[in-house]
Each structure stands twice: as C-alpha cells, then as structure tokens.
Amino acid sequence: MSETESAAAAPVAAAESKPRRLRGHKKGAVTCCVASSARPGVVASSGEDGCLCWFDLRTKDALLTMEAANKPISSICFKPGNEDFVYISAGNEILSFDVRMGTQSKPLETYNYNRDEINQIAVSSKGFLAAADDSGDVKIVNTIQKCLYKRLREAHTSICSSVQFIPWRPWTAITGGLDSKLAAWDFSKGRTLFSIDYVAVSEEGILGGLYKGPPRAAILTTRSKGAELGDGSCNQSRAKRIHLDYTMGGHTAAVSCVAFSAFGEKGKFLISGGNDASVKLWDWSKGFYSETNSKVDLVLDIDVKKKVNWLCTAPTDSDNLIVCDTSKVVKVYSFR
C-alpha cells in the first residue's frame, strides 16, 4: 500500500462510532443546522417540513419544535449578539422569530426582496442581512431600518449558492455560485473587490480516453482580478491555496458544505460533507502554513449513509459535530 493510500485509509476505522440521533422534524430532510456560540450545546435545525427545532445536547429530546413556514426552509442563522432571535429563509422569503415565544411565535419581520428561491442567508454584527438566491443575485437588507440596502448583481452567471460576511472587515461579504466563481464585495458600495474563477474543465470529448477512474477535482485555471482580501500583508499573486481532492482521500462527489472547527483549537480543522454520503475532517493548517511541501492530513472519514445537506461544529468537548443529511434526523458526532 502506498503512502497516499495509507493516509487515506487510516481515518476510516475511526469513523465507526455511532452518532447521537436528534429527533424533532416530522418529515422530509433536515436542511440546515447552526450551533450556538453563546450557549454551548444548544443547536437549532430547519427542515423541508417548514419546522425549526431547538435541541440541548445535554438532554435527549427536542426543547422546542416550531412550525415556522408552510414550505421548506433552506437556511437558518442566529442574530449576532442575541441568539434568542433567528432568521430563516423559505422560498424567496426571509422571516425572523423570537425563540422565547415558543411554539406560538409569529414572524417578527418578513422580507420579500428576493425574486427567486433563497439558498443561504447570513447576518452581520452591524445588522445587515444577506440573502443569496437562484437568480445569482444577493440582496442586502438593513434589519435596523427594515429596508433593502443594496442589490449585489452581475458577478455570478448562475445560481448564487452561498454568502458570508467577513467578521474583521465589516463592509465585506463573500459569495459563491454554481458558476464556480467566488466574489468578494464592498457591499456598502455594491461593487466587487475581486472575483475568482476557480474551475475550468475541458469537455468529455476533449479529454477522450486519457483518464478512466473515480471523479477527481480538475483545477485547470484560476483567474483573479483586483486586490487580495486579507490584512494587507500579502497580495493576490502570493496567496496560497489548497485543493483537497480525491487524490488526497477527498470526496468522490459534489461537496455540499464546509465548516471550520469551533472545538478544541478553534479553526484547526476543516470539516466537509458531500453527496458521496461522507463527512471528512482535515487538518488543513499543515499544508497552508508550512514552508515545506507538508501534506494536509485527512484525520477522520465518516460514512453517514446519506447525502449531506449541511453541517456545523460546536465549541464543546464532545457532541461537537452536527450533521444534517437527507433524512429527518439530525446526527451528532463527538471528536476529541
């Protein structure tokens, strides 16, 4: 067995521990989850049944199940600084709720600025809410003044699948789309800081019979323009990137979600989940910070049996990896 094969095979044995199963959703798949940072052990999840569920991992049953929407919920996030409030997206609509109102809670706010189905929402510490949708647009809502603030458009030529704010750059947001592009925005001005075209893959006919085997990442071109997003200590040409692909023991189908670890040494691990029904935990820092050619370690490989929709991590010593798959059950793993 080669050195690469040994590194890929070693973590598999560690993935056999059975997860805790959190039940609260009535039917359909669990679509999203978020772990509380203010109250370690508290997890919220959303599902295709239009319900929100709250779990305290110190107990067995759901603390609360709320019928929040009459359609599938695609995304959920806490309000920064006050996790009694949550935002959800359902269809092309955004709603907010106060958890303290329990099962009788009605939406506190409703926003209908997106024209197509929303894929992900995020809220900044300054009270701006971003919603990425199928049209490729991102709407920025001012939740304090309760109005549309900016429309971010024309960076993506296909579905915009994800959006996040940068905590240390309060006027910067990052979006990713199914056009294989990542864009960084100054959303106060509604313009891109830079964009990266991550993947260009030749058509099957061009590849011909040169490669037969499992799918693997093909990074043929990466084009960028503009300034590097960071602390100003490096420029775009010096930025280092890591590709975690099949040859390193990575996913054999589309990756649906990634997250940095909130447990242990915060951010030490990168966790990815995919359509190959696996969750992989990587020690990515070895490859990023090393001056040598140190390889990224695949620390853990978990077969979750079903396609992964979402995952998140919790800042606790156990029950710290939460996975949503195409079932109605939330699975919780412990990594120490």
Side-chain angles (χ1 to χ4, degrees):
M1 181 179 290
S2 69
E3 185 177 323
T4 301
E5 291 173 330
S6 297
V12 176
E16 295 179 352
S17 58
K18 292 184 178 180
R20 287 186 58 185
R21 297 174 180 269
L22 305 180
R23 305 179 187 276
H25 290 281
K26 301 174 181 178
K27 59 182 179 180
V30 183
T31 55
C32 193
C33 61
V34 58
S36 171
S37 57
R39 290 171 288 192
V42 173
V43 173
S45 65
S46 60
E48 291 180 341
D49 57 0
C51 289
L52 296 178
C53 293
W54 272 262
F55 301 97
D56 186 333
L57 299 182
R58 295 171 298 181
T59 63
K60 183 178 179 180
D61 301 320
L63 296 177
L64 172 68
T65 299
M66 179 191 300
E67 295 182 0
N70 58 4
K71 62 185 72 172
I73 299 172
S74 57
S75 185
I76 177 176
C77 62
F78 289 122
K79 179 179 180 180
N82 190 344
E83 294 184 352
D84 288 326
F85 292 87
V86 294
Y87 291 92
I88 67 165
S89 59
N92 65 341
E93 190 173 48
I94 302 169
L95 306 98
S96 70
F97 294 90
D98 184 343
V99 180
R100 295 170 298 183
M101 300 299 293
T103 57
Q104 303 304 314
S105 179
K106 302 297 181 183
L108 302 176
E109 305 166 25
T110 302
Y111 300 109
N112 292 280
Y113 296 118
N114 292 75
R115 59 176 178 167
D116 283 335
E117 185 173 354
I118 298 169
N119 296 303
Q120 188 177 23
I121 57 174
V123 183
S124 77
S125 59
K126 289 185 174 293
F128 291 101
L129 187 152
D133 67 31
D134 279 357
S135 72
D137 289 356
V138 178
K139 300 298 192 303
I140 304 292
V141 177
N142 186 327
T143 63
I144 298 173
Q145 298 182 359
K146 302 187 182 346
C147 64
L148 181 65
Y149 179 74
K150 281 289 189 297
R151 178 184 177 187
L152 310 182
R153 56 183 304 190
E154 298 181 353
H156 297 288
T157 58
S158 183
I159 291 171
C160 186
S161 55
S162 58
V163 60
Q164 289 292 315
F165 290 101
I166 306 300
W168 63 90
R169 294 177 67 104
W171 295 102
T172 302
I174 289 184
T175 59
L178 298 192
D179 53 3
S180 298
K181 291 183 179 178
L182 177 148
W185 302 81
D186 179 345
F187 68 85
S188 67
K189 299 177 180 178
R191 64 177 179 84
T192 56
L193 297 171
F194 67 86
S195 64
I196 300 174
D197 185 353
Y198 266 102
V199 182
V201 182
S202 61
E203 296 179 6
E204 185 176 357
I206 299 175
L207 287 174
L210 293 178
Y211 173 73
K212 298 293 183 182
R216 62 176 70 184
I219 310 299
L220 301 185
T221 64
T222 57
R223 301 189 301 274
S224 63
K225 59 183 180 180
E228 167 71 3
L229 179 69
D231 59 5
S233 61
C234 62
N235 57 40
Q236 183 72 24
S237 62
R238 293 170 56 195
K240 189 172 183 179
R241 298 177 189 150
I242 298 175
H243 304 294
L244 308 179
D245 63 13
Y246 175 81
T247 63
M248 302 176 67
H251 295 279
T252 57
V255 177
S256 54
C257 187
V258 295
F260 287 103
S261 56
F263 50 81
E265 184 181 342
K266 191 173 182 180
K268 176 178 173 62
F269 299 106
L270 179 72
I271 300 95
S272 59
N275 289 351
D276 56 358
S278 71
V279 170
K280 299 177 186 289
L281 189 144
W282 309 83
D283 185 349
W284 66 277
S285 59
K286 290 185 178 180
F288 193 82
Y289 291 116
S290 175
E291 296 297 329
T292 63
N293 292 323
S294 296
K295 292 183 178 180
V296 175
D297 283 343
L298 177 59
V299 179
L300 188 63
D301 191 344
I302 306 173
D303 179 8
V304 297
K305 308 300 182 184
K306 295 180 181 291
K307 292 181 179 180
V308 176
N309 285 330
W310 201 258
L311 56 82
C312 67
T313 61
T316 50
D317 293 333
S318 62
D319 292 336
N320 43 26
L321 176 56
I322 301 99
V323 178
C324 304
D325 58 28
T326 52
S327 74
K328 65 180 180 180
V329 178
V330 179
K331 297 181 174 70
V332 183
Y333 297 85
S334 292
F335 181 79
R336 296 182 176 86

